[in-house]
Amino acid sequence: MTTPDRPKVAMLLYPGLTLLDLIAPHAAFAPTTEVHLVWKTTVPVTSDSGVVVHPTTTFADCPADLDVLFVPGGQDQAPVAADEEVREFLADRGARARYVTSVCGGSLILGAAGLLRGYRATTHWSGIDVLALFDAEYAEGRVVVDRNRITGGGVTAGLDFALVVLAQLLGEDTAKMTQLMLEYAPAPPFDAGTPETAGPELTAMARAGSEAVNRAMTTVAKELAGKGWGGDA
Amino acid sequence: MTTPDRPKVAMLLYPGLTLLDLIAPHAAFAPTTEVHLVWKTTVPVTSDSGVVVHPTTTFADCPADLDVLFVPGGQDQAPVAADEEVREFLADRGARARYVTSVCGGSLILGAAGLLRGYRATTHWSGIDVLALFDAEYAEGRVVVDRNRITGGGVTAGLDFALVVLAQLLGEDTAKMTQLMLEYAPAPPFDAGTPETAGPELTAMARAGSEAVNRAMTTVAKELAGKGWGGDA
């Protein structure tokens, strides 16, 4: 469905994505933009927590000229980054999109598609070292804006990210109205959202849990080097 | 699928639910609990922003004894509250669940099922007046705990809510570990998440947008009064 006056947003779906990476920004974008959930086919995909979701369009049918190209992270982000059909889709739409964006490990997929070379960006705290393999420069910040690249940190950063993007697309009042409707006045009962506040013990456990994902993405980065993708132009 | 050591969580799906009300807590619960997405049938349902999701079980097959019964809000919360089959399911599982919980307008659905009579609770800021029609007492707070009822405010309150519930179920370390993995260290770019901070103009516009939903729920509350449901025992 095309709504001529609304900014066009395409959000990548894939098997093993982290659904909250997608659904937090989606909730913010849906009321005022035209959102497409895009994958190779419209066959439902299973996210990494087991929830099944339906793509609304395919790579072939996705609008060619986008206001926002968005990529979420996920447990299975490495196989997606390794998939040339995915990288070609992202490189094509990313070359013309007004904003090229991601949350969490989605920035590593953008990196594999060659879209972050020479840009400052962020990712989930556990994946920071991998960003450099795609010639992106890690920058501190919950949301990092460098020219038309807008990247958010891990998972829940997608809310802060989406409000930054909405303000760019439609102005601050639209972003604030969206924040009010989502009642986004956060009040976490604990202060453990970063390695610094969670402390070394929980951080070591969490890091062990994301080791396999980062190792797989590192392998992808090395395989792509010298082939015109990823960190190697 | 049953995992004997994990707390059992059943989350209500329905056509027209707000998907972020569901997916924010789901992301927090999924790594350490056994989550069921439950509806009348396993036919996919469409959320109020158009994203299609799949139930994993039915009212008939949902575990009888739950650790957590959870209800999200949504644009179409009133027809669900008006549906006796839904209310009977909630009343049955709610009578035995360790915790009876909701985010956003989900508390009004709990109220329609008679599960909040005499309890302090919260809901989306725009629906506060409707809570009283179900004999619940509105209490300020992003997350309100009254005995075994745990209710969260609007949409994004589901993150704070889920960490409170996780700490009750599995201890503070599990809650903090989850917070770290979700990188939940919020940093909203604007301060407009409540009527007080958003100001009267945006609040009036947002309130107009939720008027139809609240009017429909008020009608449901009045219809249920005197019939053994809702606010009338």
Side-chain angles (χ1 to χ4, degrees):
Chain A
M1 190 193 63
T2 292
T3 323
D5 295 348
R6 294 183 165 216
K8 286 184 179 58
V9 178
M11 309 181 86
L12 184 72
L13 283 193
Y14 57 89
L17 88 157
T18 296
L19 198 52
L20 187 53
D21 287 12
L22 179 92
I23 294 301
H26 187 278
F29 293 154
T32 53
T33 72
E34 175 189 311
V35 185
H36 300 269
L37 303 180
V38 58
W39 179 231
K40 294 178 182 185
T41 69
T42 56
V43 174
V45 304
T46 303
S47 66
D48 65 11
S49 61
V51 178
V52 176
V53 287
H54 287 234
T56 61
T57 191
T58 62
F59 289 174
D61 292 334
C62 181
D65 295 300
L66 297 166
D67 292 282
V68 178
L69 175 67
F70 170 83
V71 179
Q75 284 292 319
D76 294 333
Q77 62 197 25
V80 173
D83 185 325
E84 188 160 4
E85 186 183 349
V86 175
R87 293 197 310 273
E88 279 176 351
F89 169 76
L90 294 176
D92 174 75
R93 296 311 194 273
R96 289 187 308 277
R98 260 179 83 198
Y99 297 100
V100 174
T101 74
S102 64
V103 162
C104 201
S107 58
L108 305 177
I109 300 173
L110 288 180
L115 289 164
L116 288 184
R117 279 183 213 124
Y119 284 88
R120 282 176 295 111
T122 189
T123 189
H124 191 277
W125 61 264
S126 68
I128 289 171
D129 291 346
V130 188
L131 254 186
L133 303 178
F134 297 115
D135 286 354
E137 183 192 338
Y138 168 70
E140 267 195 68
R142 186 106 172 129
V143 183
V144 172
V145 182
D146 182 4
R147 289 155 283 171
N148 79 332
R149 265 55 168 178
I150 307 179
T151 53
V155 198
T156 56
L159 286 167
D160 306 311
F161 157 86
L163 296 179
V164 169
V165 173
L166 269 183
Q168 298 259 2
L169 288 176
L170 294 163
E172 284 200 7
D173 269 0
T174 298
K176 288 178 178 172
M177 180 71 163
T178 303
Q179 183 176 8
L180 177 61
M181 288 306 300
L182 298 176
E183 205 169 325
Y184 187 43
F190 308 106
D191 186 11
T194 64
E196 293 68 35
T197 55
E201 201 173 325
L202 288 178
T203 299
M205 284 169 62
R207 207 180 279 282
S210 43
E211 208 180 289
V213 176
N214 286 324
R215 202 167 40 227
M217 192 56 101
T218 300
T219 303
V220 171
K222 288 179 179 164
E223 279 171 4
L224 293 178
K227 293 181 186 157
W229 291 103
D232 191 340
Chain B
M1 190 193 62
T2 290
T3 322
D5 295 348
R6 293 183 165 216
K8 286 184 179 57
V9 178
M11 309 181 86
L12 185 72
L13 284 193
Y14 57 89
L17 87 158
T18 295
L19 198 53
L20 187 54
D21 287 12
L22 179 93
I23 294 301
H26 187 278
F29 293 155
T32 53
T33 73
E34 175 188 312
V35 184
H36 300 269
L37 302 181
V38 56
W39 179 231
K40 296 178 182 186
T41 68
T42 55
V43 173
V45 305
T46 303
S47 66
D48 66 11
S49 60
V51 178
V52 176
V53 287
H54 287 234
T56 62
T57 191
T58 62
F59 289 174
D61 292 333
C62 181
D65 295 300
L66 296 167
D67 293 282
V68 177
L69 175 67
F70 170 83
V71 180
Q75 284 292 318
D76 293 333
Q77 61 196 25
V80 173
D83 185 326
E84 189 160 5
E85 186 183 350
V86 175
R87 292 198 310 274
E88 280 175 350
F89 169 77
L90 295 175
D92 175 76
R93 297 309 193 276
R96 290 187 309 278
R98 261 177 83 199
Y99 296 99
V100 174
T101 74
S102 64
V103 161
C104 202
S107 58
L108 305 176
I109 301 173
L110 289 180
L115 290 165
L116 288 183
R117 279 183 212 122
Y119 285 88
R120 282 175 294 113
T122 190
T123 190
H124 190 277
W125 61 264
S126 67
I128 289 171
D129 291 346
V130 188
L131 254 186
L133 304 177
F134 298 115
D135 286 355
E137 184 192 336
Y138 168 69
E140 267 195 67
R142 185 106 171 130
V143 183
V144 172
V145 182
D146 182 3
R147 290 156 284 172
N148 79 333
R149 266 52 169 180
I150 307 179
T151 54
V155 199
T156 57
L159 286 166
D160 306 312
F161 157 87
L163 297 178
V164 169
V165 172
L166 269 183
Q168 298 260 2
L169 288 176
L170 294 164
E172 283 199 7
D173 269 0
T174 299
K176 288 178 179 172
M177 180 70 162
T178 304
Q179 184 176 5
L180 177 60
M181 287 306 300
L182 298 177
E183 205 170 321
Y184 187 42
F190 308 106
D191 186 12
T194 65
E196 293 69 33
T197 54
E201 201 173 324
L202 288 178
T203 300
M205 283 169 62
R207 207 181 279 283
S210 44
E211 207 179 288
V213 175
N214 286 323
R215 202 166 41 226
M217 192 57 100
T218 300
T219 302
V220 172
K222 289 181 178 163
E223 279 170 3
L224 293 178
K227 293 181 186 158
W229 291 105
D232 189 342

